[in-house]
Amino acid sequence: MPRKPPIIFPQEQKLLAHLGERLKLARLRRQLSSAVVAQRAGISRSSLHKVEAGNAGATMGTYLRVMAVLGLEADIDGLAADDKVGRKLQDLALPKPRRRRSPPSASVTLPSSDDGASS
């Protein structure tokens, strides 16, 4: 019995659909048939169709295999590479540096400019 695909929000579905469309265009630009890409990726043509449709039920590995066949596998290395929110959260959790107390300074008496001579 096939698995039920994960629940996905509309904005996420739109992202997957755009990715699938870009992968399909990359395949067509290379003048590769769906049968050839599926065979090289080691997946069925129906799985390739799911990827190109942006189906949430297709595994990340399937997307990666298709990208590898198209020569786009290096693009996946950039995903989530710059985790700005995570770094900010991590920085907030760091202990705050303790302020060092400086020793009390001794009062210094300066010699007066009045040397007792009057003009």
Side-chain angles (χ1 to χ4, degrees):
M1 181 160 81
R3 294 184 309 156
K4 187 175 179 183
I7 296 172
I8 189 158
F9 295 107
Q11 185 177 7
E12 296 164 347
Q13 180 56 52
K14 187 183 268 187
L15 289 171
L16 281 175
H18 288 161
L19 173 61
E21 181 65 23
R22 288 191 302 270
L23 292 175
K24 183 176 182 176
L25 288 173
R27 176 179 63 80
L28 295 173
R29 284 185 200 111
R30 288 160 178 76
Q31 298 179 353
L32 296 171
S33 70
S34 59
V36 168
V37 172
Q39 180 189 20
R40 290 180 185 176
I43 60 174
S44 66
R45 285 179 55 197
S46 63
S47 292
L48 177 62
H49 178 72
K50 287 180 182 180
V51 166
E52 291 182 348
N55 188 311
T59 67
M60 184 78 159
T62 304
Y63 278 94
L64 180 58
R65 289 299 312 139
V66 171
M67 291 174 70
V69 169
L70 299 172
L72 301 171
E73 71 276 7
D75 290 358
I76 204 158
D77 194 37
L79 297 177
D82 190 18
D83 185 12
K84 293 177 184 179
V85 173
R87 282 198 317 264
K88 285 183 180 186
L89 290 171
Q90 185 180 29
D91 290 347
L92 288 172
L94 292 175
K96 295 188 181 194
R98 297 181 73 171
R99 295 181 74 188
R100 286 186 163 176
R101 290 185 123 178
S102 57
S105 58
S107 58
V108 178
T109 309
L110 297 175
S112 67
S113 60
D114 186 18
D115 57 2
S118 59
S119 22

